[in-house]
Amino acid sequence: MPIAVDIDVMLAKRKMSVGELADRVGITPANLAVLKNGRAKAVRFTTLAALCEVLECQPGDLLRWEPDDPGDPDKAARESGASVPVGSPPR
């Protein structure tokens, strides 16, 4: 996915645990982990605003765009959860 999530970077800078951030933001640690690990499909602006307030940062400190690697044709399939046969020839 071309959107990378850097919550772990801000947690390290603020010396804060995932559990503490989840408590202060008002979301479950499991939902924060989904967001932190880049598996979320969406994030509410209210959640993003709460993260920024607690971490004292801007949205751009937590989210950044990375272009897709055009040299990896199976990347989109892997990220969507589709199965990619092992040893399949490049497209």
Side-chain angles (χ1 to χ4, degrees), residues 5-14 36 61 64:
V5 182
D6 290 328
I7 291 175
D8 52 345
V9 173
M10 291 306 297
L11 283 170
K13 286 182 179 179
R14 301 297 187 250
K36 184 176 85 66
D61 296 325
R64 64 187 155 80

Side-chain angles (χ1 to χ4, degrees), residues 34-67:
V34 167
L35 180 58
K36 184 176 85 66
N37 295 323
R39 294 188 315 264
K41 300 294 182 192
V43 60
R44 289 187 174 115
F45 280 172
T46 54
T47 302
L48 183 58
L51 287 165
C52 290
E53 182 178 353
V54 170
L55 293 170
E56 298 178 351
C57 67
Q58 294 296 312
D61 296 325
L62 302 177
L63 304 172
R64 64 187 155 80
W65 177 78
E66 290 183 343

Side-chain angles (χ1 to χ4, degrees), residues 19-44:
E20 180 183 353
L21 179 60
D23 285 344
R24 292 178 62 183
V25 169
I27 61 176
T28 66
N31 284 340
L32 181 56
V34 167
L35 180 58
K36 184 176 85 66
N37 295 323
R39 294 188 315 264
K41 300 294 182 192
V43 60
R44 289 187 174 115

